[in-house]
């Protein structure tokens, strides 16, 4: 009998880690962690109970904390900030990916009626300029080659083992374009433009609907290394310029944490819509 391979989407941005798997809702976490050895002597056990302690096979099992509201640890918080291609080799980035996958595996395996998750096929995205970079190998996703294979991790002392059978890498705007094309029932040959304003980058892409899915029009890609980080920095400067010195009000991490907790809706609207134009 063939093994069940669980499909899992993982998005590691400059601000958030988003996880979506079979039969689960989207889980969102900060794209940051805290090395345990930097805070072990600074906090009591009660505070640590609000977070999970992870150890992965990518960084010699050095433990780290991961979870919501990490801003409480101040300067000890380490983020994946950066728009350079080398971020994919950063141990911090790899730990965040593994922590996201392990959290999903643990949650699914804890369900009474669940089939134990052991094998996963992962789909992930990256800024389009990185996707097109020769170092990534295009669709081969060579920057994620380290993720394929067996991994052994611990979460709060519990050992988790899983095997990544395949990793598929796409431009991070692909899903938005595909959803728009499906929603408005676009015909083959029609195009979709996407503006993705992320934590560290702003990406503009154009796709054409084809029989095989969404084809990226590579000559139209525009990417600026300016995202929410720039917006938050401007807010901090404006608040400080007004004479506010309270660290709870002019602190980058605290403002970021507050913004992440809010719900946002972005509407992409055409009038009339492509579907309505065809029906008229």
């Amino acid at each position: 009998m063939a093994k069940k391979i669980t499909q899992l989407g993982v998005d590691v941005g400059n601000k958030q880690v988003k996880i979506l798997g079979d039969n689960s809702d989207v889980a969102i976490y900060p794209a940051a962690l805290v090395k345990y050895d930097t805070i072990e002597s600074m906090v009591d056990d009660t505070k640590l109970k609000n977070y999970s302690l992870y150890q992965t096979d990518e960084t010699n099992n050095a433990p780290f904390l991961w979870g919501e509201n990490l801003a409480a640890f101040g300067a000890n918080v380490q983020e994946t900030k950066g728009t350079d291609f080398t971020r994919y080799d950063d141990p911090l980035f790899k730990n965040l990916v593994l922590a996201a996958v392990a959290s999903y595996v643990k949650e699914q395996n804890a369900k009474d009626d669940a089939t134990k998750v052991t094998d996963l096929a992962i789909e992930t995205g990256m800024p389009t300029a990185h996707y097109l970079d020769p170092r990534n190998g295009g669709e081969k996703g060579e920057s994620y080659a380290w993720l394929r294979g067996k991994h052994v991790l611990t979460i709060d002392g519990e050992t988790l083992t899983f095997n990544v059978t395949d990793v598929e890498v796409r431009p991070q705007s692909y899903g938005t374009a595909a959803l728009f094309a499906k929603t408005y029932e676009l015909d083959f040959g029609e195009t979709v433009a996407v503006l993705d304003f992320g934590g560290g980058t702003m990406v503009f892409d154009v796709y054409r609907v084809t029989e095989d899915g969404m084809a990226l029009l590579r000559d139209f890609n525009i990417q600026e290394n300016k995202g929410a980080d720039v917006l938050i920095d401007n807010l901090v400067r404006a608040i400080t310029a007004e004479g506010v010195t309270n660290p709870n009000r002019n602190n980058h991490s605290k403002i970021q944490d507050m913004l992440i907790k809010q719900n946002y809706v972005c509407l992409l609207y055409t009038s009339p819509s492509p579907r309505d134009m065809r029906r008229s």
Side-chain angles (χ1 to χ4, degrees):
M1 183 177 178
K3 289 184 178 179
K4 174 179 169 55
I5 298 179
T6 301
Q7 305 294 319
L8 185 65
V10 179
D11 177 6
V12 182
N14 274 279
K15 292 298 174 192
Q16 297 175 326
V17 180
K18 295 173 281 290
I19 315 162
L20 177 63
D22 291 345
N23 302 317
S24 69
D25 296 326
V26 176
I28 301 177
Y29 297 93
L33 56 81
V34 178
K35 289 185 176 180
Y36 183 69
D37 60 6
T38 65
I39 50 85
E40 184 177 8
S41 62
M42 299 170 53
V43 296
D44 55 38
D45 291 339
T46 301
K47 187 173 182 178
L48 289 180
K49 289 179 180 178
N50 296 325
Y51 306 90
S52 289
L53 186 65
Y54 290 75
Q55 291 178 275
T56 78
D57 52 4
E58 283 297 320
T59 52
N60 299 319
N61 287 320
F64 62 91
L65 295 180
W66 191 54
E68 298 181 3
N69 303 319
L70 286 175
F73 292 102
N76 293 296
V77 177
Q78 295 187 319
E79 299 181 295
T80 61
K81 286 183 182 178
T83 54
D84 187 84
F85 191 87
T86 57
R87 78 188 292 253
Y88 305 108
D89 289 326
D90 188 338
L92 170 59
F93 180 86
K94 294 180 179 181
N95 273 334
L96 286 171
V97 174
L98 290 173
V101 177
S103 296
Y104 172 81
V105 172
K106 180 179 180 180
E107 178 181 332
Q108 293 302 305
N109 289 348
K111 295 181 179 179
D112 293 336
D113 58 348
T115 301
K116 298 302 180 185
V117 176
T118 57
D119 295 274
L120 303 107
I122 292 176
E123 185 166 336
T124 189
M126 59 172 54
T128 309
H130 294 175
Y131 175 80
L132 298 176
D133 192 303
R135 288 172 291 180
N136 181 52
E139 290 79 2
K140 296 179 181 178
E142 293 176 1
S143 53
Y144 279 90
W146 61 272
L147 185 54
R148 298 182 178 92
K150 180 180 178 181
H151 296 277
V152 180
L153 302 87
T154 62
I155 302 179
D156 296 328
E158 177 185 348
T159 300
L160 293 169
T161 302
F162 57 84
N163 178 52
V164 178
T165 61
D166 187 37
V167 179
E168 184 172 2
V169 179
R170 297 184 184 273
Q172 66 185 32
S173 57
Y174 182 93
T176 302
L179 179 61
F180 184 82
K182 179 179 179 181
T183 301
Y184 287 100
E185 302 174 2
L186 299 190
D187 293 327
F188 298 148
E190 293 191 273
T191 56
V192 178
V194 179
L195 177 62
D196 185 331
F197 186 72
T201 58
M202 183 171 60
V203 179
F204 177 81
D205 287 323
V206 179
Y207 293 83
R208 177 171 286 117
V209 183
T210 71
E211 293 184 3
D212 298 322
M214 306 301 294
L216 175 68
L217 303 185
R218 302 186 178 211
D219 292 338
F220 291 92
N221 168 249
I222 300 173
Q223 180 168 316
E224 294 286 343
N225 294 333
K226 296 179 181 179
D229 264 336
V230 175
L231 173 63
I232 295 174
D233 284 341
N234 288 337
L235 283 173
V236 171
R237 282 193 289 269
I239 293 171
T240 304
E242 292 295 321
V244 177
T245 59
N246 186 334
N248 290 318
R249 298 185 64 188
N250 64 1
N251 180 279
H252 184 110
S253 295
K254 290 186 179 296
I255 293 175
Q256 170 183 310
D257 190 53
M258 176 191 68
L259 292 175
I260 287 176
K261 290 179 179 178
Q262 305 305 311
N263 293 318
Y264 301 93
V265 176
C266 179
L267 298 178
L268 181 58
Y269 177 72
T270 60
S271 179
S273 74
R275 179 172 54 192
D276 293 336
M277 286 189 290
R278 289 197 301 276
R279 292 176 175 175
S280 61

